[in-house]
Amino acid sequence: MNSLRNCCISQGSVIINTKVLQTGEIIEIVGDLLVAADDCLSSIRQKYLPEFKLRYSGYCAWRGVLDFSEIEDSETITGIKKAYPDLGKCLYFDLASGTHSVLYELLNKKLNRLWYVNQPEPEAKGTSVTTKVTSDMIQKMHQAAEKVWIPELAKVMKETKEPFLNFIYDSDPLEKIFYDNVVFVGDAAHPTTPHCPRSTNMAILDASVLGKCIEKWEISYMEEYQFIRLPVTSKQVLRVRRLGRIKQGLVLPDRDPFDPKSAREEDCQELLQRNTPFFNI
Ligand SMILES: Cc1cc2nc3c(=O)[nH]c(=O)nc-3n(C[C@H](O)[C@H](O)[C@H](O)COP(=O)(O)OP(=O)(O)OC[C@H]3O[C@@H](n4cnc5c(N)ncnc54)[C@H](O)[C@@H]3O)c2cc1C
């Protein structure tokens, strides 16, 4: 496994310096094309767009996975399965005033849960969007969960070992997703907030479309990739940003902050996943 250090273009080739993680050795690789799939903090994108800044969403996610393989008959698990009877078949989104949470079952008897909490932008940022938390922070989160969520969900949160915080960022859509022989895919091309469970799908589609464009081996393959993908991902990122702000009860210029306790039918309609642009691709 390699960790990319830097890249440059010389005589039409991409030259990268990369560290072989097993040995620590730095090696040089020369290629025709560099596909930057190095996540929302992409150091390759930073090289081409040094002024680029991620936009902090205004909230973070408490995350964690509860392995229930050895506590299947416990009160916590029977309780959560009773309260959320379709676990294993769907994702549950719970809405409360100014916050929302997500709960779903993973393979091998695991529960994945996320709780989005509005808070100021963290000071230590730039190299990671996740952070370890202190036991004091965890305790406060558990106490808050008991006030906001039903007891069954609060209990799952309490029993999840090693929860961590994920600061949620996105960015305004980029104008270009390729430079020289370097092309961006996935979160490197379109950092996005995670509210329409489809960012992985966006990354896979980027790779698929890029592959098809390369296959034709025409000089304009990168323009074609950008022409197909950029309008789609740009609209999706902005829709997902809006959905996140609505679910977190945050201010938007064209509507009142959403509160599930007083929401009208049309407010709820706006939350539907199928409103995501290009939902069917
Ligand atoms: C809270 C949260 C919930 C989410 N929920 C969902 C969901 O339900 N459904 C969904 O589809 N998506 C979800 N996502 C989004 C999803 O995780 C990402 O959009 C997706 O993983 C992006 O894929 P990617 O390949 O672009 O980047 P990543 O999956 O982040 O992969 C990038 C890889 O590049 C590596 N890398 C970075 N820099 C270097 C370097 N210099 N050298 C070598 N390697 C490097 C990283 O280590 C990493 O392995 C969620 C995201 C968050 C934050």
Side-chain angles (χ1 to χ4, degrees):
M1 195 180 266
N2 292 5
S3 167
L4 183 102
R5 290 309 183 79
N6 57 51
C7 70
C8 68
I9 304 296
S10 173
Q11 296 176 346
S13 296
V14 195
I15 304 168
I16 62 165
N17 281 311
T18 178
K19 184 178 183 181
V20 182
L21 294 180
Q22 290 87 341
T23 61
E25 188 192 358
I26 306 281
I27 57 168
E28 187 180 278
I29 299 174
V30 181
D32 298 320
L33 170 70
L34 176 61
V35 179
D38 54 345
D39 69 50
C40 69
L41 295 169
S42 172
S43 56
I44 304 171
R45 185 190 59 221
Q46 212 58 33
K47 181 179 156 63
Y48 283 93
L49 299 168
E51 303 300 316
F52 174 90
K53 291 226 170 1
L54 288 171
R55 183 202 68 104
Y56 177 57
S57 65
Y59 47 90
C60 65
W62 273 102
R63 301 180 67 177
V65 173
L66 174 65
D67 180 343
F68 63 91
S69 53
E70 290 179 9
I71 52 162
E72 216 169 340
D73 298 326
S74 66
E75 199 187 311
T76 305
I77 300 304
T78 50
I80 198 86
K81 287 198 167 173
K82 200 167 170 205
Y84 298 82
D86 286 321
L87 267 178
K89 295 186 216 145
C90 67
L91 271 81
Y92 277 100
F93 292 89
D94 279 329
L95 297 164
S97 299
T99 187
H100 75 287
S101 73
V102 185
L103 176 73
Y104 54 98
E105 188 172 340
L106 301 170
L107 288 176
N108 302 324
K109 303 193 190 299
K110 291 186 172 72
L111 286 178
N112 192 19
R113 57 96 184 154
L114 301 100
W115 177 14
Y116 294 94
V117 180
N118 295 340
Q119 64 173 64
E121 185 169 8
E123 277 174 28
K125 58 184 168 75
T127 52
S128 174
V129 289
T130 58
T131 184
K132 285 197 175 153
V133 287
T134 61
S135 48
D136 187 43
M137 288 163 80
I138 296 174
Q139 206 180 349
K140 284 194 178 131
M141 181 266 287
H142 290 160
Q143 284 165 359
E146 278 170 13
K147 291 189 189 133
V148 177
W149 304 117
I150 59 169
E152 291 85 346
L153 183 57
K155 219 161 186 293
V156 165
M157 292 186 179
K158 211 167 177 182
E159 291 193 20
T160 303
K161 294 196 179 87
E162 298 182 359
F164 62 98
L165 268 180
N166 201 157
F167 297 101
I168 306 298
Y169 289 90
D170 70 4
S171 81
D172 288 337
L174 301 182
E175 284 173 16
K176 258 173 86 70
I177 50 174
F178 73 90
Y179 293 87
D180 302 324
N181 306 14
V182 178
V183 60
F184 309 136
V185 298
D187 281 6
H190 38 74
T192 182
T193 50
H195 307 298
C196 287
R198 64 180 302 113
S199 346
T200 308
N201 168 288
M202 288 160 79
I204 292 167
L205 275 173
D206 288 348
S208 168
V209 170
L210 179 62
K212 294 235 176 310
C213 295
I214 293 174
E215 214 171 51
K216 292 192 204 160
W217 205 241
E218 284 167 5
I219 196 89
S220 59
Y221 71 89
M222 290 213 259
E223 275 99 345
E224 191 182 3
Y225 161 69
Q226 175 172 280
F227 178 76
I228 297 171
R229 288 302 291 154
L230 196 54
V232 175
T233 56
S234 300
K235 282 198 173 141
Q236 290 179 331
V237 165
L238 295 177
R239 153 71 185 165
V240 181
R241 175 187 293 183
R242 180 176 174 85
L243 186 62
R245 290 193 71 80
I246 295 175
K247 286 184 171 179
Q248 287 302 105
L250 293 169
V251 173
L252 280 161
D254 59 344
R255 59 167 296 152
D256 291 334
F258 176 81
D259 186 336
K261 290 182 187 148
S262 55
R264 297 160 303 168
E265 176 65 26
E266 60 261 40
D267 295 324
C268 300
Q269 286 292 324
E270 201 184 342
L271 303 180
L272 296 175
Q273 300 291 352
R274 65 168 175 260
N275 294 333
T276 311
F278 308 99
F279 183 66
N280 291 326
I281 61 166

